[in-house]
Amino acid sequence: MFDLQKKSNFYRMRLRNVDREVEPFFSALLVILSCFMSVLLFGAGSFVGGILFLLPLIVSALIYWDDILAPAEDDAL
């Protein structure tokens, strides 16, 4: 019984909520909107708000940097 639960939990953890083909669109949208808001806030003189909107850019850059350097995985399952 527990082996069956472990297998189903393992399979459920490997499932993605957003397809790999669609994910770059949403990621790029987040980056573009954050960059736009950051520029607007810096231009308005709100440096703390501009830095706050730069944080998602830094996080996404670190995530994509790891994805670029990682070898491609085979989805054989």
Side-chain angles (χ1 to χ4, degrees):
M1 180 67 180
F2 291 114
D3 291 334
L4 183 62
Q5 286 179 344
K6 286 181 186 178
K7 286 180 184 178
S8 68
N9 286 340
F10 176 75
Y11 178 71
R12 212 173 319 139
M13 284 189 322
R14 292 185 51 98
L15 289 178
R16 299 177 63 90
N17 291 333
V18 179
D19 288 337
R20 194 138 181 89
E21 294 82 20
V22 180
E23 183 179 344
F25 171 75
F26 292 112
S27 300
L29 187 64
L30 172 69
V31 168
I32 289 169
L33 290 176
S34 294
C35 183
F36 180 69
M37 282 299 296
S38 177
V39 168
L40 287 178
L41 286 169
F42 276 127
S46 176
F47 296 108
V48 175
I51 291 171
L52 185 68
F53 274 94
L54 277 178
L55 289 177
L57 295 175
I58 294 169
V59 170
S60 63
L62 291 174
I63 290 171
Y64 278 121
W65 182 261
D66 288 341
D67 281 348
I68 290 170
L69 295 179
E73 282 187 24
D74 291 85
D75 293 331
L77 296 178

